[in-house]
Amino acid sequence: DGGITQSPKYLFRKEGQNVTLSCEQNLNHDAMYWYRQDPGQGLRLIYYSQIVNDFQKGDIAEGYSVSREKKESFPLTVTSAQKNPTAFYLCASRTGENQPQHFGDGTRLSIL
Amino acid sequence: AQSVAQPEDQVNVAEGNPLTVKCTYSVSGNPYLFWYVQYPNRGLQFLLKYITGDNLVKGSYGFEAEFNKSQTSFHLKKPSALVSDSALYFCAVRDIRNYQLIWGAGTKLIIKP
């Protein structure tokens, strides 16, 4: 079945440590997204990529980095510069501009 | 500024009764509107969208939404609620500057047996 796979489901970060969240899709979608979800808030866009080897900052990109070397993969690195990383992180993808986004089941990141 | 508002943090409905989850928007030009549902510790699932055409849009799981241009609203509705409809519901509108989605804060829907 086609879909988006995020791993791991739970992740713990130590102070000063960078961690990488994986997002893989087999839907052949061009565009991919990373969102952060905090309780009581809507989704906030971290980074997005419309094509391979290209990506743009979203509203809250500081302290995060991404790469898009393959169409299927869009990993997110939460760097030590992100001082409040505890959140639920969601990856999404879509085909055309008017098409809905498809979401993975998220990674919950916590601080040790 | 473009924005989406979901004025109710929580909506409580008895099973079998009709439900409405409200959404209002503010955008320049014609709005592209979406509704999604999220179950605990899961990603979002697409329910329906309005791009153009009929103001009443039908979607998944018996949900529908009514687009009202004069009131700038896009309320989600279902004629008869199920306990399994209990979840978090998000409204979103497409940002005309970069074609990405602007999300509402979400409404928790609780259906009581």
Side-chain angles (χ1 to χ4, degrees):
Chain A
D1 287 341
I4 299 179
T5 301
Q6 290 188 242
S7 62
K9 194 167 181 64
Y10 300 96
L11 187 58
F12 298 90
R13 195 190 87 170
K14 296 179 181 178
E15 292 289 339
Q17 185 182 44
N18 294 349
V19 293
T20 297
L21 285 61
S22 171
C23 178
E24 302 279 331
Q25 54 101 356
N26 60 4
L27 299 167
N28 199 33
H29 287 174
D30 290 314
M32 296 187 74
Y33 304 81
W34 274 106
Y35 292 98
R36 171 177 171 142
Q37 185 177 20
D38 294 283
Q41 299 190 37
L43 278 64
R44 292 186 289 169
L45 184 62
I46 304 173
Y47 270 98
Y48 63 101
S49 168
Q50 312 247 45
I51 55 173
V52 175
N53 292 322
D54 188 46
F55 49 82
Q56 287 77 42
K57 293 181 178 180
D59 298 321
I60 57 165
E62 186 175 351
Y64 300 97
S65 66
V66 294
S67 63
R68 186 87 186 274
E69 297 176 359
K70 300 186 299 182
K71 188 175 186 177
E72 303 79 18
S73 179
F74 191 41
L76 172 74
T77 296
V78 183
T79 75
S80 57
Q82 171 52 245
K83 298 306 179 187
N84 183 25
T86 298
F88 190 49
Y89 290 87
L90 289 162
C91 179
S93 70
R94 65 159 173 80
T95 52
E97 287 179 353
N98 296 333
Q99 297 307 311
Q101 295 181 14
H102 295 253
F103 283 80
D105 277 338
T107 293
R108 191 167 297 280
L109 176 62
S110 302
I111 294 292
L112 278 178
Chain B
Q2 301 182 95
S3 64
V4 174
Q6 293 183 243
E8 302 154 317
D9 291 336
Q10 183 170 309
V11 172
N12 297 297
V13 178
E15 186 177 26
N17 283 1
L19 69 87
T20 298
V21 183
K22 296 179 180 178
C23 173
T24 59
Y25 64 90
S26 175
V27 295
S28 302
N30 295 322
Y32 288 21
L33 296 153
F34 300 81
W35 274 104
Y36 288 79
V37 61
Q38 184 182 33
Y39 297 98
N41 296 313
R42 300 294 302 275
L44 278 68
Q45 297 177 32
F46 169 71
L47 285 177
L48 50 81
K49 67 178 180 179
Y50 174 83
I51 304 296
T52 187
D54 195 346
N55 289 345
L56 186 63
V57 179
K58 294 190 182 298
S60 305
Y61 313 120
F63 284 94
E64 57 189 27
E66 186 171 9
F67 171 67
N68 188 317
K69 188 171 183 179
S70 63
Q71 297 185 5
T72 62
S73 67
F74 190 55
H75 300 333
L76 182 70
K77 300 181 180 184
K78 188 173 183 181
S80 179
L82 300 172
V83 173
S84 58
D85 292 330
S86 299
L88 189 56
Y89 289 80
F90 289 96
C91 181
V93 65
R94 193 184 74 170
D95 188 334
I96 63 168
R97 298 168 299 173
N98 59 17
Y99 300 100
Q100 309 315 317
L101 293 181
I102 301 170
W103 296 87
T107 298
K108 186 175 184 180
L109 177 64
I110 297 176
I111 309 299
K112 298 183 178 179

